[in-house]
């Protein structure tokens, strides 16, 4: 195999197995940073050795063996663990078992996700930590996506990893009653990563845009690892329905297109089908939650591709359930819009939201402008759209909102 082909093989292994390798090593050492350093050295060794020796028959096992040796050397040098000899022997024995058994070593990524979402970890670090440890995304790229400096993001991640090691946070799937809370942390962190990319509206080639795809990858991983958790399937369905419409969100000239005006022919049928399948499977567990409700709302919107219309009455019912389950500002605003679209007093529902919660919430002001226009209150609508435009950094959305403010003058 040529050197270029060997490098491609190593890149493929890193892309496909990084999270599993880190999870295996870290779950036994309790040290995420140490596992990352050891695996990094193992990949460097592979780049040096494999072009000469050929890619091993079981490359992941080879990498684990080398990383294991690096971890053992580091532990002996630092003497950071009181029972280091027991730990070293356990790690050596398990890695040797993996090497002898083949490439199908235990998948500990679910434990790693729960560690990243542990209540002791700074909430601002949970999503970046998942992206780095499970997907292998570097800190600079994560920093760009979360609009912080690379140095600040690196410090945030270092502190989180130090917390895991220093507090001896266990790498385990929690038992009830901790399960529900920790699962919600994992789901919220993944969705936070997705919306960070989604809200970067027209940056198709940006780090932000790529973050949405990476969040979906983690979502698929979570469903594989937790096939009986309906909310994991609900979250994946929600992200897929939203992502299916990305190509329709802008015209060829870069103008923003709202959901109800989008060309459904541009929506991704495979993504929508996958989303519907996940939603159907989630429903079989008969335990409804926030993400399933949000995905169901998006499913009704998706049905316009077949029916040519939107069942706003059904959407309003789903929002009622969502507000009872997760009464966030987004669900309250969405319910008000659904009310108005289905002939109910939407503006009254919107105005019941406490003023202090909507001062700088751009979707509220855009929704208010829309509902006021429906009532022919065009002067107030213009003020609301202008306020909404001032609260977004996206030039295409800002231009769209300014145009709405000028309608019916």
């Amino acid at each position: 195999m040529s050197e270029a082909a060997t490098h491609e093989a190593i890149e493929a292994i890193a892309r496909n197995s990084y999270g599993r390798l880190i999870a295996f090593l870290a779950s036994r050492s309790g040290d995420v940073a140490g596992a990352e350093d050891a695996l990094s050295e193992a990949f460097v060794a592979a780049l040096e050795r494999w072009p000469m020796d050929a890619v091993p028959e079981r490359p992941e096992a080879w990498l684990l063996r080398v990383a294991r040796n690096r971890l053992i050397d580091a532990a002996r040098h630092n003497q950071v663990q009181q029972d280091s000899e027991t730990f070293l022997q356990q790690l050596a024995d398990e890695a040797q078992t993996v090497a002898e058994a083949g490439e199908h070593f235990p998948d500990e990524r679910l434990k790693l996700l729960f560690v990243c979402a542990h209540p002791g970890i700074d909430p601002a670090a949970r999503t970046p930590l998942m992206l780095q440890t499970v997907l292998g995304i570097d800190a600079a790229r994560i920093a760009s996506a979360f609009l912080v400096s690379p140095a600040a993001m690196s410090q945030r991640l270092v502190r989180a990893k130090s917390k895991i090691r220093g507090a001896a946070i266990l790498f385990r799937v929690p038992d009830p009653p901790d399960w529900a809370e920790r699962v919600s942390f994992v789901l919220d962190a993944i969705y936070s990563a997705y919306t960070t990319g989604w809200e970067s509206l027209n940056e198709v080639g940006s780090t932000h845009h790529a973050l949405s795809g990476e969040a979906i990858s983690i979502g698929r991983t979570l469903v594989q690892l937790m096939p009986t958790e309906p909310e994991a399937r609900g979250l994946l369905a929600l992200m897929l329905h939203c992502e299916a419409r990305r190509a329709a969100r802008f015209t060829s000239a870069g103008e923003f297109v709202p959901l109800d005006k989008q060309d459904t022919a541009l929506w991704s049928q495979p993504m929508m089908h996958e989303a519907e399948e996940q939603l159907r499977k989630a429903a079989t567990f008969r335990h409804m939650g926030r993400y399933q409700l949000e995905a169901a709302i998006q499913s009704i919107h998706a049905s316009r591709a077949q029916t040519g219309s939107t069942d706003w009455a059904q959407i309003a019912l789903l929002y009622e359930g969502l507000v009872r389950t997760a009464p966030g500002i987004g669900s309250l605003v969405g319910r008000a819009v659904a009310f108005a679209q289905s002939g109910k007093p939407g503006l009254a529902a919107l105005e019941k939201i406490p003023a202090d919660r909507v001062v700088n919430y751009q979707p509220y002001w855009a929704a208010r402008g829309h509902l006021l226009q429906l009532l022919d209150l065009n002067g107030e609508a213009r003020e609301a759209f202008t306020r909404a435009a001032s609260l977004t950094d996206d030039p295409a959305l800002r231009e769209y909102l300014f145009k709405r403010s000028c309608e019916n003058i």
Side-chain angles (χ1 to χ4, degrees):
M1 183 180 291
S2 68
E3 183 171 346
T6 301
H7 284 191
E8 287 181 6
I10 292 173
E11 289 176 3
I13 293 165
R15 184 169 56 251
N16 297 326
S17 301
Y18 182 86
R20 291 180 65 211
L21 292 164
I22 287 294
F24 180 90
L25 294 164
S27 65
R28 284 148 181 81
S29 67
D31 183 357
V32 174
E36 289 175 331
D37 290 342
L39 186 58
S40 177
E41 291 184 33
F43 274 112
V44 169
L47 287 168
E48 294 173 349
R49 294 282 302 278
W50 292 2
M52 295 181 295
D53 299 345
V55 176
E57 182 179 348
R58 296 187 291 273
E60 286 88 354
W62 189 98
L63 289 164
L64 275 179
R65 179 177 57 79
V66 174
R68 171 206 65 183
N69 292 337
R70 298 294 191 274
L71 275 174
I72 290 172
D73 291 343
R76 284 175 173 156
H77 177 74
N78 296 325
Q79 296 181 343
V80 295
Q81 299 191 345
Q82 293 178 349
D83 58 343
S84 59
E85 289 304 320
T86 301
F87 151 70
L88 296 176
Q89 188 59 52
Q90 176 193 10
L91 182 61
D93 290 346
E94 291 197 27
Q96 184 62 37
T97 299
V98 168
E100 293 172 353
E103 297 181 8
H104 299 291
F105 54 94
D107 192 337
E108 309 281 18
R109 286 176 295 175
L110 184 57
K111 293 179 182 178
L112 185 56
L113 284 169
F114 274 111
V115 166
C116 293
H118 191 277
I121 301 298
D122 177 4
R126 291 172 188 166
T127 300
L129 195 58
M130 288 182 192
L131 293 170
Q132 188 179 67
T133 58
V134 178
L135 294 181
I137 303 172
D138 64 82
R141 188 175 171 195
I142 297 171
S144 173
F146 285 86
L147 303 179
V148 301
S149 71
M153 180 56 70
S154 293
Q155 290 174 1
R156 186 179 297 175
L157 290 166
V158 166
R159 285 196 296 270
K161 293 169 191 175
S162 296
K163 177 74 173 182
I164 293 169
R165 183 179 64 247
I169 294 175
L170 296 177
F171 280 71
R172 65 178 181 85
V173 175
D175 298 320
D178 296 333
W179 170 267
E181 180 185 28
R182 293 278 291 281
V183 168
S184 71
F185 286 164
V186 173
L187 297 171
D188 290 348
I190 295 171
Y191 192 48
S192 173
Y194 181 78
T195 56
T196 298
W198 177 251
E199 289 167 1
S200 298
L201 297 174
N202 199 22
E203 300 179 5
V204 175
S206 72
T207 301
H208 292 65
H209 177 92
L211 194 59
S212 292
E214 287 151 359
I216 290 173
S217 294
I218 294 183
R220 286 196 177 104
T221 297
L222 192 62
V223 168
Q224 292 171 3
L225 299 173
M226 302 172 62
T228 61
E229 175 52 57
E231 278 291 85
R233 293 186 182 276
L235 173 59
L236 180 56
L238 171 61
M239 294 189 292
L240 287 167
H241 266 312
C242 292
E243 194 66 17
R245 304 176 193 135
R246 187 177 288 274
R249 299 180 75 199
F250 298 89
T251 67
S252 58
E255 297 174 331
F256 175 72
V257 183
L259 176 57
D260 62 333
K261 303 296 184 183
Q262 289 175 10
D263 180 358
T264 61
L266 297 176
W267 292 353
S268 169
Q269 291 294 326
M271 280 193 180
M272 290 192 293
H273 290 157
E274 183 183 356
E276 290 299 299
E277 181 62 21
Q278 291 297 336
L279 202 50
R280 281 193 294 271
K281 288 181 178 177
T284 64
F285 296 100
R286 300 185 181 279
H287 184 71
M288 186 61 66
R290 169 200 170 183
Y291 289 111
Q292 292 170 80
L293 286 165
E294 291 200 40
I297 290 168
Q298 297 308 318
S299 176
I300 300 293
H301 283 296
S303 67
R304 183 165 67 86
Q306 282 73 45
T307 66
S309 61
T310 302
D311 188 344
W312 282 104
Q314 186 65 28
I315 289 176
L317 285 173
L318 289 168
Y319 266 117
E320 287 280 31
L322 182 60
V323 166
R324 288 195 293 270
T325 303
I329 183 67
S331 58
L332 291 169
V333 171
R335 180 180 65 170
V337 173
F339 277 2
Q341 295 293 148
S342 58
K344 296 180 180 179
L347 186 61
L350 198 67
E351 291 182 335
K352 287 181 180 179
I353 303 174
D356 61 332
R357 298 186 67 184
V358 302
V359 173
N360 296 312
Y361 188 61
Q362 181 268 330
Y364 169 87
W365 295 100
R368 181 176 177 81
H370 175 65
L371 299 193
L372 287 166
Q373 272 192 349
L374 291 177
L375 298 172
D376 293 324
L377 299 173
N378 296 314
E380 293 178 66
R382 184 162 55 253
E383 293 177 5
F385 279 128
T386 301
R387 178 72 174 273
S390 72
L391 293 172
T392 180
D393 294 326
D394 188 275
L397 179 57
R398 187 185 304 116
E399 180 64 23
Y400 167 77
L401 291 168
F402 275 133
K403 286 183 178 179
R404 290 291 305 271
S405 73
C406 296
E407 292 177 2
N408 302 319
I409 293 178

